[in-house]
Structure formats: C-alpha cells, structure tokens
C-alpha cells in the first residue's frame, strides 16, 4: 500500500514543486510525464530501501551476539506465510511499476492525429536539417556553424554557456503540439533533448514519429547521442520554443529553403 501511495503521489501532486532527484523536470508536457514516472519510481525505491535497510539494521543491532554462550535467536526458515509475503510483495511492486511505465510510455509515444505543426527532421553526418511546411528549411552542419538561427529568433538572448547554442535551431511554437518525423540520411544518429527527457534513434530507412508540447518559450540544448563518425561530438542542435505569434512571424518571414549556411559547402568539400 505504501508503494502504491508513493507511486500515485506525484500524479496527485502534479503541479507542485517536487524534488527532481537529479533528473530534469521536463520542459514539455511529455517530458514532464516521464519525470513524474521517474519521481514515483525513485520514491518507491526510497520507501523499499528504507524499510529493507531499517529491518536489516534493526536485526543486526537487536540480535547481535552479546556473549559466546548466548543462545541462537529464534529461526524462521520454512515459515510459509513469511516466504509467501516476501515473494508476493516484490511481485506486486514490480507489477505496479510496470503498469505505470506502460501507461506513461504509451501516452508519451502516442502521436496526435491533428498536430499543430509537423517538422521533418533529418540527421546526417554531421548535422541536422529541419523541413517546415511550405518549403522552409533550416539546415546546418554543426562542425562549422556556430548558431545560424536559434537564439537570435528569440530576440538575441545571450547564450551561456556558449556551447548551449551550438548547431541549428529547431524552432517550435510553445504551448502547441509539434509532431517530429525523424529520419537519417546515412548512419544511425540519436536525437536527444535532455530537458525533454526524450531520446530517439534516427535510423536509415526508418521513419520515427513523436511529438512535443513545449511548456514555455526557451532554448533547449540538444545533441546526437549515437556515435556516428568523425564529428559526432560536435553534432549539437537546440530546440527553440517561441510564443506562437512570434513563431508564425518567423516562419512566414523565412524564404523557402533559405538559412543554408555558407559553411555547408566548405565542410562538404572536406568529407
Ligand atoms: Cu551522431
């Protein structure tokens, strides 16, 4: 029962400031659901660990050998009710955690039938390309392109530390649901946004679909997490969530297939 309460608590308290246990709170709706699952699992582990550790400590202190001729404490082997209890309780804990995991994962993996926006994302050696409706393309090779679009689109806030601003900007409207259609142009890459608690492979020949509903405007660091060759370590990008009106102003101000940085040609010749 204590475990049930511990796991259900974060769902009830959603919205309160919960401790993060070194995780990210989740800057989008889906990532926040993942955070609540992580939080519940962590609290359940603390409760189980506390009870188990407490019982071990108690038995060590309470039944320590006080003298050489002290009698053996009472033994409990073949105590059927006890053995059934310590088999059934962990099974129930695992089933509860499993059920919450399936529920949250299904919810996070579900793709909306009517997203507010769909962006085709292509990973390649070594960079990212974001194709928007009406032919707007943001493309940059991370090896030579410091930051063609991202933070400037928010009105130019300083990037601190500067590494957070490397790579191209995946511009999204905050508060709206954006579907990402993820593909790879060559080898396996990893699409990872730490603050969204989300990672997915970009695999050649495979189309991966998922969605984000970013809670508030901001710049969120992201990077490739699958070793993919020489410049993998520089394969950054960042998600830029803008207020919807600002996003639409940006999208309509972009001419089709612009923002291909000049460095693309230079780095392409180096391969
Ligand atoms: Cu990579």
């Amino acid at each position: 029962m204590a475990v049930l309460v511990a796991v259900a608590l974060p769902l009830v308290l959603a919205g309160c400031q919960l401790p993060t246990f070194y995780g990210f709170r989740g800057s989008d709706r889906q990532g926040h659901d993942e955070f609540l699952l992580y939080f519940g699992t962590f609290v359940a582990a603390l409760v189980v660990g506390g009870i188990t550790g407490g019982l071990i400590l108690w038995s060590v202190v309470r039944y320590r050998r006080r003298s050489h001729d002290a009698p053996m404490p009472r033994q409990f082997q073949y105590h059927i009710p006890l053995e059934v209890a310590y088999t059934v309780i962990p099974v129930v804990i695992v089933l509860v955690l499993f059920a919450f995991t399936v529920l949250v994962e299904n919810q996070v993996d579900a793709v909306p039938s009517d997203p507010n926006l769909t962006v085709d994302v292509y990973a390649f050696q070594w960079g990212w390309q974001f194709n928007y409706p009406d032919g707007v393309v943001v493309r940059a090779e991370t090896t030579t392109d410091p930051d063609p679009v991202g933070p400037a689109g928010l009105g130019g806030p300083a990037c601190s530390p500067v590494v957070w601003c490397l790579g191209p900007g995946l511009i999204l409207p905050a508060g709206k649901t954006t579907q990402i259609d993820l593909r790879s142009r060559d080898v396996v890459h990893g699409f990872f946004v730490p603050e969204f608690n989300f990672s997915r492979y970009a695999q050649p020949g495979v189309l991966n679909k998922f969605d984000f509903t970013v809670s508030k405007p901001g710049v969120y660091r992201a990077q490739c997490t699958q070793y993919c060759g020489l410049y993998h370590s520089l394969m950054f990008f960042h998600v830029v969530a803008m207020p919807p009106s600002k996003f639409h102003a940006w999208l309509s101000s972009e001419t089709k297939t612009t923002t291909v940085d000049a460095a693309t040609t230079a780095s392409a010749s180096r391969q």
Side-chain angles (χ1 to χ4, degrees):
M1 190 61 202
V3 175
L4 265 174
V5 172
V7 175
L9 201 63
L11 302 173
V12 178
L13 294 177
C16 301
Q17 283 298 82
L18 304 168
T20 61
F21 299 122
Y22 303 102
F24 284 107
R25 219 173 273 283
S27 298
D28 64 330
R29 184 176 55 73
Q30 298 80 352
H32 189 63
D33 289 347
E34 291 283 7
F35 163 70
L36 293 178
L37 175 67
Y38 168 72
F39 177 86
T41 308
F42 205 106
V43 170
L46 285 179
V47 170
V48 171
I51 292 173
T52 312
L55 285 175
I56 291 173
L57 259 177
W58 174 73
S59 59
V60 164
V61 174
R62 172 78 178 74
Y63 298 107
R64 68 188 183 282
R65 194 173 194 184
R66 291 186 172 84
S67 66
H68 275 296
D69 32 299
M72 282 281 282
R74 210 173 131 214
Q75 299 299 296
F76 284 94
Q77 64 264 49
Y78 309 116
H79 191 292
I80 301 298
L82 199 59
E83 292 191 11
V84 168
Y86 69 59
T87 305
V88 169
I89 291 172
V91 170
V92 170
I93 293 172
V94 169
L95 286 178
V96 169
L97 293 178
F98 179 77
F100 274 104
T101 304
V102 169
L103 287 174
V104 173
E105 293 296 315
N106 284 349
Q107 202 176 317
V108 168
D109 285 340
V111 181
S113 54
D114 56 343
N116 297 106
L117 168 75
T118 301
V119 183
D120 288 299
V121 173
Y122 295 89
F124 58 91
Q125 288 170 312
W126 290 274
W128 300 91
Q129 180 173 331
F130 310 128
N131 288 16
Y132 290 82
D134 304 324
V136 171
V137 173
V138 174
R139 181 186 190 282
E141 298 217 8
T142 55
T143 52
T144 49
D145 194 329
D147 183 25
V149 179
L154 279 179
C159 285
S160 178
V162 73
V163 72
W164 282 41
C165 292
L166 287 175
L170 172 56
I171 322 273
L172 308 177
K176 303 283 181 188
T177 301
T178 302
Q179 180 177 317
I180 305 291
D181 288 0
L182 178 66
R183 298 176 178 84
S184 167
R185 289 211 193 281
D186 36 53
V187 299
V188 181
H189 299 275
F191 178 104
F192 179 43
V193 190
E195 287 180 69
F196 293 0
N197 292 325
F198 187 86
S199 174
R200 184 105 338 148
Y201 276 138
Q203 294 167 285
V206 175
L207 170 60
N208 276 330
K209 296 181 180 209
F210 48 88
D211 63 305
F212 296 131
T213 312
V214 188
S215 312
K216 53 180 195 298
V219 180
Y220 306 95
R221 176 179 163 269
Q223 66 190 88
C224 175
T225 43
Q226 174 62 43
Y227 177 67
C228 58
L230 189 58
Y231 292 105
H232 161 68
S233 62
L234 297 175
M235 203 167 150
F236 295 104
F237 66 103
H238 48 275
V239 176
V240 182
M242 291 181 176
S245 56
K246 219 168 174 183
F247 168 79
H248 288 294
W250 168 79
L251 191 61
S252 50
S253 72
E254 288 293 300
T255 45
K256 299 174 195 324
T257 61
T258 53
T259 58
V260 177
D261 58 295
T264 302
T265 333
S267 60
S269 62
R270 199 179 51 221
Q271 292 171 28

